[in-house]
Amino acid sequence: MTAPSSDAEVPAWLADLGLPGLVDIHTHFLPERVLRKVWAYFDQAGAHYGVEWPIFYRHPEEERLRVLRELGVTTFAPLVYAHKPGMAEWLTDWAVDFGRRTPGAVPTATIFPEPEVTTYLTKALDAGARCVKVHVQVGAFDPRDDLLDPAWGLLAEAGVPVVVHCGHRPRPGPYTGLDVFEEVLRRHPALVAVLAHAGMPDHGAALDLVGKYPGVHIDTTMVGVAFSENFAALPADWSARLAEHADRVVLGTDFPNIPYPYAEQLAAIAGWAAADDRLGSEFLRAVLHDTPVRLLDGSS
């Protein structure tokens, strides 16, 4: 099975697969001043994470949008996240507006444990938010917090997917861990949760949750690429296990905040598909387009 070796090869590769485009459920667009702070943090990744993390797509917003179009990304979820109280509401307002005015983008939201969370989440859902981001590691909050419980319930009832970064990478937080987030799933078993980075580094445990809860999915963000294999290598039976849950895997990339070309993530996914006869091109079409479309369209 072929795989793109550069960004320039991606459109022809998609055409060979018979796909109208890519649907990326895990990208990041933020207000300019916030994005600059995020990039400044990654500039110090050696101190924070013990590894250098140069931003590959460090371009102005219009250039980043052009890159996505040229890659063949037809739909993407521009995710935002808060690290302190009072931040999630205005970020959500910004993300809903960005999703409405930007071709290809869908309106998104974020939540934080605070008394107002259900109010601004309801407002965002009523305004058309189609995906929510929760960053347990950056936010350093407990996803089991009672203040969040009504919000989890609201999302479960609405069937809106929530991309949850709850794994221990790139570094552990006070409330990271799939075991912690599973307590949320026990309370809200219908929640459509996408485990960001496939629960990195606990990839096997992430697939265990996929098997236990019908709404749980994993995204491919930074999974299986050379950069991540250095500190969160995939298990040897990865492709075999994916074959058991082939309809619960969705494309995610972390664009633009990745230290390598976008095509490397696609090549990694193509490698998984080639490694097990039960996967193949059908799996690629599902991951890269059909399954994320289903989630973002609310037909999960």
Side-chain angles (χ1 to χ4, degrees), residues 8-195:
E9 294 180 5
V10 172
W13 182 68
L14 295 177
D16 286 344
L17 286 170
L19 284 177
L22 297 166
V23 178
D24 192 335
I25 204 167
H26 191 149
T27 72
H28 293 291
F29 283 80
L30 294 158
E32 190 66 21
R33 69 182 188 276
V34 178
L35 184 64
R36 295 299 170 189
K37 290 180 180 179
V38 170
W39 284 354
Y41 190 87
F42 280 117
D43 287 342
Q44 302 299 318
H48 297 310
Y49 304 140
V51 61
E52 296 303 315
W53 196 310
I55 303 296
F56 194 84
Y57 298 99
R58 196 172 190 139
H59 307 310
E61 183 176 286
E62 283 304 314
E63 171 99 3
R64 282 178 271 131
L65 291 170
R66 180 187 62 77
V67 169
L68 288 179
R69 288 194 299 270
E70 292 181 352
L71 282 165
V73 178
T74 55
T75 306
F76 62 97
L79 304 180
V80 298
Y81 50 89
H83 65 273
K84 60 183 179 181
M87 188 177 184
E89 182 171 8
W90 67 265
L91 275 177
T92 292
D93 287 344
W94 182 91
V96 168
D97 176 69
F98 181 87
R100 283 172 158 177
R101 61 182 167 80
T102 305
V106 301
T108 69
T110 190
I111 58 176
F112 196 87
E114 51 197 345
E116 306 84 5
V117 60
T118 306
T119 300
Y120 61 74
L121 177 60
T122 300
K123 175 185 172 186
L125 294 176
D126 288 346
R130 292 162 56 188
C131 190
V132 175
K133 175 63 184 285
V134 174
H135 208 314
V136 173
Q137 186 246 322
V138 168
F141 59 79
D142 190 337
R144 304 162 300 187
D145 192 306
D146 287 344
L147 288 169
L148 284 175
D149 203 57
W152 294 125
L154 185 61
L155 290 170
E157 183 178 355
V160 171
V162 52
V163 178
V164 185
H165 186 139
C166 56
H168 292 309
R169 292 296 184 189
R171 69 178 184 186
Y175 301 105
T176 56
L178 299 182
D179 55 336
V180 176
F181 186 67
E182 186 176 9
E183 294 188 36
V184 175
L185 293 170
R186 289 195 191 107
R187 293 186 202 174
H188 304 281
L191 190 67
V192 181
V194 179
L195 303 178

